[in-house]
Amino acid sequence: MTLEDPRKTLRAELRARRKALVASERIAAANGVAATLDQLADFLVDPRIAGDWAIDGELPLHSVVAKLSRRGQHYCLPRIIGPRQLAFVEWRPGVDLEANRYGIPEAVCSAADLLAPDAVDIVLLPLLGFDRQGHRIGYGGGYYDASFAFLRGRSEAGQPLLIGVGYAAQQVAAIAPAAWDVHLDYVATEKELIDCWAERA
């Protein structure tokens, strides 16, 4: 059995788990994650915070974006620029969006507006599942792992800081890492901020 076989099964299970959440739980979780992220000092001051535009039941980040705007920080959306490669674009309400090949909204921009992955300070990564050691199950496209491959193999938090964002219900006991995986530094849920380095110690 290949590594992708159990991951495919786990993805299906985690999608079903997320789909089972009702609207009130999603709204409460969105507000809870915004409060959880504020426990991290860097999140309160770093100028460029990258995240995504939530789709398909992902945890919405509107509460996070509102707080960043009030603090004068910049929210950046990912944009596909090549095979498994992302760049980031500063976004604010009113900036036009367009759907990419996966139906995910991206900010309309010029090439001059694109930021390299190492030019943002913190990245909020979407996920289907996570464990407390910072292993993440995504959607299988590999865009984040490829784009942040320069952080692979580090022994401490790097630049940018990688924070998985999801519902507490998406936690699993353990995820077997693949060779191409880039580990998370933290995971933020509506219940807690998990320091993955401390959990691995």
Side-chain angles (χ1 to χ4, degrees), residues 157-199:
Q159 169 73 26
L161 205 61
L162 302 182
I163 305 177
V165 175
Y167 304 98
Q170 292 174 274
Q171 180 176 325
V172 298
I175 294 171
W180 56 83
D181 285 347
V182 177
H183 296 168
L184 301 170
D185 298 304
Y186 293 89
V187 176
T189 75
E190 72 274 24
K191 294 184 177 179
E192 61 181 327
L193 180 68
I194 301 167
D195 183 338
C196 301
W197 292 102
E199 295 285 341

Side-chain angles (χ1 to χ4, degrees), residues 79 95-101 103-109:
R79 186 173 182 88
V95 172
D96 288 339
L97 297 167
E98 61 186 3
N100 65 20
R101 70 191 73 166
I104 301 171
E106 296 181 337
V108 175
C109 69

Side-chain angles (χ1 to χ4, degrees), residues 31-126:
N31 293 329
V33 164
T36 296
L37 286 166
D38 283 351
Q39 297 174 27
L40 186 63
D42 291 350
F43 194 78
L44 299 176
V45 297
D46 282 351
R48 288 176 172 167
I49 311 294
D52 70 331
W53 192 281
I55 62 167
D56 193 30
E58 290 176 340
L59 193 143
L61 295 176
H62 59 277
S63 296
V64 172
V65 175
K67 284 190 170 189
L68 294 177
S69 179
R70 287 196 295 270
R71 293 197 293 256
Q73 294 163 283
H74 302 286
Y75 188 64
C76 305
L77 288 174
R79 186 173 182 88
I80 296 174
I81 58 169
R84 296 189 177 184
Q85 285 298 313
L86 300 173
F88 294 88
V89 183
E90 291 186 9
W91 180 85
R92 63 188 181 281
V95 172
D96 288 339
L97 297 167
E98 61 186 3
N100 65 20
R101 70 191 73 166
Y102 302 107
I104 301 171
E106 296 181 337
V108 175
C109 69
S110 68
D113 296 324
L114 296 173
L115 299 169
D118 62 357
V120 294
D121 300 294
I122 293 175
V123 183
L124 307 179
L125 284 80

Side-chain angles (χ1 to χ4, degrees), residues 1 3 14 29 35-36 51 57 66 70 122 131 148 155 176 178 182 187:
M1 181 175 284
L3 179 63
L14 290 167
T36 296
R70 287 196 295 270
I122 293 175
D131 66 19
F148 294 99
S155 56
V182 177
V187 176

